């Protein structure tokens, strides 16, 4: 049995953050339960060492981040960091630095909190839409993505040391780190492309590749994930309503390998299970979770089911309870 937490919009029937179990004996998602009532908790992060759950947070006209104690399958609100305005769209926690990061699309800014106190804020130029803020797993450098201005930023100890500009209108959204090399993979929302970048003193472009089959209309790129063995890269495509697999070659470039239906509308987020043997995908508009099994040798996905109903799901997080 594996555990997932699901972040949602609460515009219709959803009440907040949900928990569900993946039964690996039967290949079924089951036992859906509400773990915290919250307004639009659209992105989540979990710290298994402290059993703290971090969430995008909204309370009426105030938006920010929330910290929950997560025990016995219930999340109890512990702290809130908020400002007037719309909530962020991304949250990340760095245990080494004991810092929380958010990315606020509407404000065009990234906030850094230490011990729930605001430490620093990066505000981007006019038209900025910050969509991602995450530290490198080994160097702890901070990477942010500004979709509105087509920029990737890299910071060390609060100082910006390099940027990379994707073509105007491509709309970079999220990125992932190659675990064994200085390569990052940046996924664009508006052009549905992955930019393969060498990350050194400056960013160096290695490759650009479409995430859609030939002839498909771009627009709506959502989430990007990399397997633990760094052999497979996956992305979801809204509009086309699909998930794409790339094989990661020995030189870290990508080869288009598979494209499958998302079996629902607006596939916002997905994630690999902790053992990399499954993928669970969330379709916001059809209120369903989709389960695929994953071949750990080839990375190929096999569709299992799409009948698990969850209201307005937009974030998928596997956790160790």
């Amino acid at each position: 049995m594996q555990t997932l937490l699901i972040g949602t919009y609460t515009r219709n029937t959803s009440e907040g953050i949900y928990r569900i179990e993946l039964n690996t004996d039967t290949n079924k998602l089951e036992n859906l339960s509400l773990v915290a009532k919250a307004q639009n908790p659209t992105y989540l992060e979990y710290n298994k060492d402290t059993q703290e759950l971090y969430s995008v947070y909204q309370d009426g006209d105030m938006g920010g981040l929330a910290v929950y104690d997560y025990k016995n399958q219930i999340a109890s609100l512990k702290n809130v960091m908020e400002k007037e305005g719309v909530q962020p769209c991304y949250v990340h926690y760095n245990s080494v630095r004991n810092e929380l990061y958010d990315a606020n699309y509407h404000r065009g800014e990234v906030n850094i909190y230490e011990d729930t106190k605001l430490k620093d804020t990066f505000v981007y130029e006019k038209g900025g839409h910050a969509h991602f803020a995450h530290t490198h797993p080994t160097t702890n450098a901070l990477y942010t993505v500004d979709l509105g201005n087509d920029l990737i930023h890299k910071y060390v100890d609060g100082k910006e040391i390099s940027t990379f500009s994707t073509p105007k209108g491509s709309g970079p959204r999220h990125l992932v780190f190659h675990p064994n090399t200085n390569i990052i993979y940046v996924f664009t929302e508006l052009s549905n492309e992955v930019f393969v970048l060498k990350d050194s003193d400056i960013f160096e472009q290695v490759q650009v590749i479409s995430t859609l089959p030939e002839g498909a209309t771009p627009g709506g790129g959502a989430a990007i994930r990399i397997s633990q063995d760094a052999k497979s890269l996956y992305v979801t495509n809204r509009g086309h309503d699909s998930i794409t697999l790339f094989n990661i070659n020995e030189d870290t470039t990508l080869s288009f390998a598979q494209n499958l239906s998302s079996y629902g509308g607006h596939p916002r987020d997905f994630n690999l299970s902790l053992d990399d043997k499954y993928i669970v995908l969330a379709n916001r508009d059809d209120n369903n979770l989709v389960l695929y099994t994953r071949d750990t040798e080839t990375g190929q996905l096999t569709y299992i089911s799409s009948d698990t109903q969850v209201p307005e799901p937009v974030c998928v997080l596997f956790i160790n309870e």
Side-chain angles (χ1 to χ4, degrees):
M1 200 74 73
Q2 299 192 36
T3 299
L4 302 90
L5 296 178
I6 308 297
T8 70
Y9 277 110
T10 56
R11 297 166 175 170
N12 297 307
T13 61
S14 174
E15 294 185 81
I17 302 170
Y18 291 84
R19 177 188 182 275
I20 198 165
E21 294 174 343
L22 169 57
N23 188 325
T24 55
D25 293 328
T26 61
N27 283 355
K28 289 184 177 181
L29 293 163
E30 56 193 27
N31 300 325
L32 180 70
S33 62
L34 180 69
V35 301
K37 287 192 175 184
Q39 184 180 358
N40 293 329
T42 56
Y43 216 83
L44 308 173
E45 174 88 294
Y46 180 66
N47 184 341
K48 63 181 177 60
D49 295 326
T50 61
Q51 293 184 290
E52 286 183 327
L53 172 65
Y54 312 105
S55 171
V56 166
Y57 178 84
Q58 186 176 352
D59 183 10
D61 294 333
M62 304 296 288
L65 299 179
V67 182
Y68 296 87
D69 279 324
Y70 181 75
K71 294 180 176 66
N72 301 317
Q73 302 176 19
I74 295 294
S76 302
L77 188 61
K78 183 178 178 181
N79 286 300
V80 173
M81 295 140 282
E82 59 185 357
K83 298 181 178 181
E84 187 173 354
V86 179
Q87 82 276 16
C89 59
Y90 194 89
V91 58
H92 167 62
Y93 176 70
N94 181 299
S95 59
V96 175
R97 302 181 68 94
N98 189 31
E99 291 178 343
L100 270 171
Y101 308 82
D102 72 30
N104 194 303
Y105 179 90
H106 296 279
R107 289 178 178 273
E109 69 180 29
V110 168
N111 294 294
I112 304 174
Y113 298 90
E114 185 176 14
D115 293 326
T116 71
K117 305 297 183 184
L118 184 61
K119 180 179 179 180
D120 207 350
T121 298
F122 305 131
V123 180
Y124 296 123
E125 294 178 6
K126 183 178 179 181
H129 292 304
H131 218 306
F132 176 92
H134 204 291
T135 52
H136 193 282
T138 55
T139 68
N140 291 303
L142 174 64
Y143 297 71
T144 70
V145 175
D146 179 355
L147 184 150
N149 291 316
D150 304 297
L151 288 169
I152 294 92
H153 302 268
K154 178 182 177 181
Y155 302 87
V156 174
D157 295 327
K159 180 181 179 181
E160 184 172 63
I161 63 168
S162 57
T163 62
F164 181 83
S165 179
T166 59
K168 185 176 176 60
S170 56
R173 178 181 172 96
H174 282 190
L175 64 84
V176 292
F177 306 98
H178 192 290
N180 307 318
T181 68
N182 62 336
I183 292 290
I184 63 173
Y185 299 95
V186 180
F187 186 27
T188 60
E189 176 175 331
L190 304 182
S191 64
N192 285 90
E193 295 172 307
V194 176
F195 284 73
V196 183
L197 304 181
K198 184 178 180 181
D199 175 18
S200 52
D201 292 337
I202 60 171
F203 291 113
E204 178 185 339
Q205 182 175 305
V206 176
Q207 182 190 22
V208 182
I209 188 168
S210 173
T211 68
L212 297 172
E214 187 174 352
T217 302
I224 181 169
R225 307 288 184 185
I226 189 170
S227 61
Q228 295 176 54
D229 61 11
K231 293 181 179 179
S232 306
L233 188 83
Y234 301 88
V235 300
T236 41
N237 307 292
R238 294 168 294 178
H240 192 257
D241 292 342
S242 66
I243 183 169
T244 297
L245 159 68
F246 293 98
N247 292 332
I248 301 176
N249 304 313
E250 289 188 7
D251 64 359
T252 71
T253 60
L254 303 176
S255 298
F256 195 99
Q258 185 184 33
N259 179 262
L260 286 177
S261 172
S262 63
Y263 297 91
H266 201 94
R268 181 65 168 266
D269 193 25
F270 71 98
N271 225 324
L272 285 89
S273 60
L274 299 180
D275 58 8
D276 271 4
K277 293 182 178 180
Y278 297 88
I279 277 181
V280 173
L281 177 150
N283 288 304
R284 185 198 67 185
D285 290 357
D286 280 284
N287 303 295
N288 69 324
L289 299 182
V290 183
L291 178 64
Y292 307 86
T293 55
R294 176 179 179 270
D295 186 311
T296 55
E297 292 298 319
T298 66
Q300 294 276 316
L301 301 181
T302 301
Y303 166 76
I304 298 297
S305 66
S306 55
D307 58 356
T308 302
Q309 295 296 297
V310 177
E312 305 167 82
V314 289
C315 181
V316 178
L317 181 65
F318 280 88
I319 67 167
N320 273 316
E321 282 189 321

